[in-house]
């Protein structure tokens, strides 16, 4: 599974880093680092993180490739 974060949309709320700390990591107030290729054991966590993001900046699964970063 792949994940893409629209960093223009991301406001650094850190919900994702809280729910899936092995995939999303916040550096400082707004610099989000993440692992685009999500390992299988992290899929559920990343889906929850995507659902929890207040600004819907996280795109997961097949959509990630198709939608890209807008
Ligand atoms: S939850 Fe959304 S807005 Fe918050 S840091 Fe993650 S991607 Fe950015």
């Amino acid at each position: 599974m792949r994940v893409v974060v629209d960093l223009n949309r991301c406001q650094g709320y850190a919900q994702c880093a809280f729910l899936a700390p092995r995939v999303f990591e916040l550096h400082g107030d707004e610099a989000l680092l993440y692992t685009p290729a999500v390992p299988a054991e992290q899929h559920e966590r990343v889906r929850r993180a995507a659902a929890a993001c207040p600004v819907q900046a996280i795109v997961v699964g097949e959509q990630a490739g198709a939608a890209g970063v807008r």
Side-chain angles (χ1 to χ4, degrees):
M1 180 172 110
R2 294 193 64 81
V3 63
V4 173
V5 178
D6 183 342
L7 295 174
N8 292 318
R9 196 179 271 214
C10 170
Q11 300 294 317
Y13 290 120
Q15 297 292 338
C16 55
F18 177 71
L19 289 164
R22 294 186 62 178
V23 175
F24 305 100
E25 204 180 335
L26 213 53
H27 283 246
D29 281 346
E30 288 194 358
L32 181 72
L33 299 180
Y34 65 99
T35 308
V38 182
E41 79 275 6
Q42 294 291 315
H43 285 186
E44 191 52 41
R45 284 176 172 274
V46 167
R47 285 201 182 92
R48 269 187 231 146
C53 176
V55 292
Q56 286 90 48
I58 304 173
V59 180
V60 295
E62 304 76 52
Q63 310 155 28
V69 177
R70 279 170 287 172

